[in-house]
Amino acid sequence: MKKPIWILAVLALGALALAQPKVFKVPNAAENPVFGGDFRDWTTSDPKTFNPFVAKETSSTDVIQLMLPTLTDYDPYTGAPEGLLAKSWEVKNNGLTIVFHLREGAKWSDGQPITADDVVFSAKVHSDPDVGSNSIKSFELDGSPIVWTKIDDYTVQADFPKPYAPALIQGWYIVPKHVFEKAYESGKVAEMWDVGTDPAAVVSGGPFMLDQYVQGERVVLKKNPNFWGVDEKGNQLPYLDRYVFTVVADRNAAMAKFLAGELDLYAASDADQVSQIIERIDDGKLDASIFPNADVTTGTNFIFFNWNSDDPWKAQLFRNKKFRQAMAHLMDKDSMIELALGGLGQPQWSPISIPVKQFFTDDVAKFEYDPAKAAELLAEIGFRSKNAQGVLTDAAGRPLEFRLSTNQGNNVREKIAQIFAEDANKIGVNVKYAPIAFNELVRQILNTRDFDAILIGLTGGREPAFGRNVWELDGPLHMWNYGPDFESFEILIDKLMKQGATTLEQSKRREIYVRFQQVVAENLPLAYTVAPAYNPARLNNVGGLFSKDQINSLEGQYPYNYPVTVFKKK
Amino acid sequence: MTAYILRRFLHLIPTFLGATFLAFLVIQLAPGDFITRLELDPSYDRSQIENFRRLFGLDQPFTVQYAKWLSGFLKGYLGLSLSYQTDVWSVLKPRILNSMVLVVASVLFIYVVSIPIGIYSALRQYSWGDRFWTTFAFFGLAVPNFFFALLMLYFALWLKDIVGHEVFPIGGMRSLYIDGADFFEAPKWKQWLNILWHAVLPVIVAGTAGTAGLMRVMRTQMLETKMQDYVRTARAKGLAERVVIYKHILRNAVIPIVASIGFLLPELFGGAGFVEIVMAWPGLTPLILDAIFSIDVYIIMGSISISVVLLMIGNLLSDLLLAWVDPRIRYR
């Protein structure tokens, strides 16, 4: 007789333990989820570590993010900040202080509670310069520290040196203090959770936990029964039993695996791959769907000029707005999309990526492909006659020529550069194009400054404030001009970036960044070219994915960055 | 003989120092380092980038870095991988073992296939069979490895469509499941069978060029030996043709091939090449390529130094083997 009461007590405790689960919204509420099954994904290179303080690249963080929680992230449906481990927050003190309330009852996979101690400890380790965490950037604002303190077991407070708009996005990984503390105190935190660690020793606070790791081959994660998330019907998440990453270094080989039905998701890289997948679906050999050109990726490709050139003539020329506008008129973006991107992609005119809907605007100056207009603009700045080689010259007879480089091995950029150089040469602008190694390119940009023009891209994201190192006057990536002479529009951009980062109200922020995009598009410090398409494909027996109009390249094919809503249909 | 071997071992020391120093120098001469990638990420400040360099010891002069690496090497420590943050040997070891499956299998494949064909071609010179294998050899030597691997992948996919089930796997080294359960829960012999099944196509790709080459070498050797005076003498003595071919011609023709076996040693630890990348074989090549792209100095150096040591030992072994099979050669 005693037993049922004891069980009831445990059940009640269990219910209490999950008193504040996070409700994850599924993309399509009409679908009936199926529990169990393996989700088969792929990666081009295997994780280098499971330690978030060591991870330096996405191959590692792609796995870590399935296991270690963050306080907040973007809502996958609206783009607004959303609580993950933090269930709510209060902004105080004009935005200088934010108090985060944690989910009570959330547990690590080893049964220990996830508390404020874990959060504050993780912040301490991430911000320690002797640890070398990549997330250190989240703990400094213009050189001043962001201070994290514990209020009580389930409340933490962050104090900012000044109001900071992206403050609600706290995307650094929280580790279990009871596992890491000893190692940190003895200065050995970097040795934790390397690839040789027993998978069972890697404690998870996310939807999945490590099951197997076979170096260079695969990572298998299994469902974490202690995960603090449920769906809208109250079902414990995730639905899947296992999440399997297969390491396939070669894109074509990965596609062959998808065509054989051995991968559940794939994103086709170009029109050729898209047509191969469509052909196989049409032949009835693959039960799958593909959405070509569903969105564009956040990667950017732009050309910029060296305003600090040792040659004063060139420095003067590159500083001239009309020159840059003429160059923009020479970018045949339709041909670039056709030839460099295989027909799938979109022209880009301004710095904020098209998928970042909250800030992106199409209402900017567009210097469309128009060689005649370009020639006209060049004539206005003095290039009126041509020499014997057919190159435009200025009044002093100096021919209009410059070097253009991009990073070798990037086929898309190499083709874009060639198309631009050819069109420019046609009207008498002698562009000498030569690709060079990426690291050499970086050295030229940051150290030697002996280039004329470079076609390159920067890691894009959804938060424009994170671009401050590019746009602020003293930013280390203010690549076209390291001063000391700045044009007035550069000073305006600097001001807009600073305002954008410190304005908390969303609608005002949008206004600021719209203005920012307009100023950049008009003055072209960076002249944007084209953005590659995002062409996701999936097997039809995978459920819980975004529908065609929900798909965006920022989130991928499913919400929340981890397949917590994904399931395999029977 | 012992003195000779000892002397050779002493020669290894300067060769090793020279080779590794040169390798280290070349890696340093290439622009950029492990941190360069982060420099174009707008979210990092300059001071953070400099701090990373300091933590990884990349701010020190390269002679200091080399000296540190060398003193570690002498103690049997290959260094700390920059990207894995764990010692290089534990990163290299599983990859070398995986590669070895392919390398051993493809070496066996090369020898088993090419020596008989070489003998056949030499004995029936300019016959249709000889011409067929000559054409095959040209094809085998000319087709790029990575392209051939890709063709094989599509061949496997095509075969699957036709037959309706997987005849050969589409890349990889192990299946996810054996008989419906996880790979690692299956009995060991089934696991090995599964790995060998995955190895069939990569071994064909990795072995084709080698087979084609060795086949031609074997043919030439046989043809050359056939013309020797002692072969004529053997025939004049009235020996059976079978005895002439196998005891007199083949034994002498095969000497340089036996001597080259020593060179296989570094190959065993050197990965099977691009086929590993295209066919998703978790061997050494993808790891090294990754390390070169990210300039993970110590992974590259670890692999190079192992290769250098083995190459030198392999060289020595080859010379000793040659003395053993060829009584005309003596070392002092």
Side-chain angles (χ1 to χ4, degrees), chain B:
Chain B
M1 195 67 173
T2 330
Y4 172 78
I5 295 175
L6 213 70
R7 207 165 58 234
R8 284 286 298 262
F9 265 109
L10 284 179
H11 283 173
L12 297 188
I13 298 169
T15 318
F16 175 80
L17 288 179
T20 52
F21 185 79
L22 209 64
F24 210 86
L25 186 71
V26 169
I27 298 170
Q28 302 288 332
L29 281 180
D33 59 25
F34 182 65
I35 299 301
T36 305
R37 253 173 329 137
L38 296 180
E39 291 193 80
L40 278 198
D41 185 335
S43 49
Y44 290 100
D45 291 339
R46 204 81 343 225
S47 60
Q48 289 160 352
I49 299 279
E50 288 320 311
N51 186 47
F52 285 139
R53 288 231 156 82
R54 177 181 66 82
L55 288 177
F56 287 116
L58 295 170
D59 56 344
Q60 298 182 16
F62 106 94
T63 40
V64 176
Q65 292 184 41
Y66 177 72
K68 277 188 180 165
W69 174 82
L70 190 65
S71 74
F73 185 88
L74 295 177
K75 288 177 217 141
Y77 179 61
L78 289 180
L80 190 76
S81 156
L82 299 179
S83 40
Y84 288 84
Q85 283 296 302
T86 181
D87 80 288
V88 166
W89 177 239
S90 69
V91 178
L92 288 180
K93 195 176 91 181
R95 301 307 193 93
I96 289 176
L97 291 177
N98 290 348
S99 280
M100 251 185 218
V101 175
L102 278 194
V103 176
V104 170
S106 58
V107 164
L108 283 179
F109 174 80
I110 290 173
Y111 279 75
V112 167
V113 172
S114 59
I115 290 181
I117 294 179
I119 296 171
Y120 167 86
S121 284
L123 296 181
R124 289 181 180 67
Q125 200 183 1
Y126 304 132
S127 67
W128 278 108
D130 179 32
R131 285 194 184 138
F132 170 79
W133 289 114
T134 305
T135 316
F136 167 80
F138 285 134
F139 167 78
L141 286 170
V143 65
N145 223 330
F146 70 90
F147 180 65
F148 191 25
L150 211 53
L151 285 184
M152 278 299 191
L153 274 185
Y154 279 86
F155 166 73
L157 191 60
W158 174 80
L159 209 59
K160 184 184 172 180
D161 285 348
I162 291 195
V163 182
H165 67 93
E166 226 169 38
V167 182
F168 291 114
I170 322 279
M173 178 168 133
R174 298 179 176 98
S175 297
L176 260 182
Y177 317 97
I178 295 179
D179 303 335
D182 192 273
F183 178 93
F184 293 97
E185 283 161 19
K188 270 275 177 296
W189 66 271
K190 276 196 176 174
Q191 295 188 10
W192 271 104
L193 216 60
N194 187 274
I195 291 176
L196 290 178
W197 176 57
H198 278 82
V200 174
L201 293 183
V203 164
I204 292 176
V205 175
T208 301
T211 307
L214 194 65
M215 192 188 287
R216 299 303 288 173
V217 173
M218 193 63 212
R219 181 178 177 271
T220 316
Q221 279 294 325
M222 286 292 285
L223 287 175
E224 212 168 277
T225 324
K226 237 166 79 175
M227 309 294 171
Q228 297 292 329
D229 291 343
Y230 57 78
V231 175
R232 200 172 8 155
T233 312
R235 288 219 173 91
K237 278 196 299 189
L239 289 181
E241 186 62 14
R242 201 177 50 85
V243 178
V244 174
I245 290 173
Y246 292 102
K247 288 257 158 94
H248 290 80
I249 305 180
L250 183 60
R251 276 211 179 169
N252 286 296
V254 91
I255 287 176
I257 291 171
V258 171
S260 70
I261 286 177
F263 292 114
L264 289 176
L265 193 63
E267 257 176 57
L268 280 180
F269 290 80
F274 272 98
V275 60
E276 293 181 347
I277 291 179
V278 180
M279 303 197 94
W281 192 272
L284 196 60
T285 318
L287 177 81
I288 299 298
L289 206 69
D290 236 20
I292 291 175
F293 280 138
S294 61
I295 319 198
D296 190 338
V297 190
Y298 300 105
I299 296 258
I300 308 175
M301 282 310 291
S303 154
I304 289 180
S305 53
I306 291 175
S307 290
V308 166
V309 170
L310 291 177
L311 188 70
M312 292 186 304
I313 294 175
N315 227 329
L316 178 60
L317 275 181
S318 271
D319 288 349
L320 297 179
L321 271 175
L322 197 60
W324 181 62
V325 291
D326 192 340
R328 288 168 298 184
I329 295 173
R330 286 273 172 278
Y331 296 120
R332 248 164 290 171

Side-chain angles (χ1 to χ4, degrees), chain A residues 16 29 51 59 76 93 107 142 154 247 262 278 393 416 454 492 507-508 516 539 549 560:
Chain A
L16 198 71
N51 182 334
S59 57
N93 210 354
K107 278 188 202 157
D142 296 337
Y154 292 99
V247 181
E262 290 174 15
I278 291 179
T393 55
I416 292 175
I454 282 178
L492 175 59
S507 61
K508 274 201 188 132
F516 157 70
L539 296 188
D549 11 293
Y560 300 106

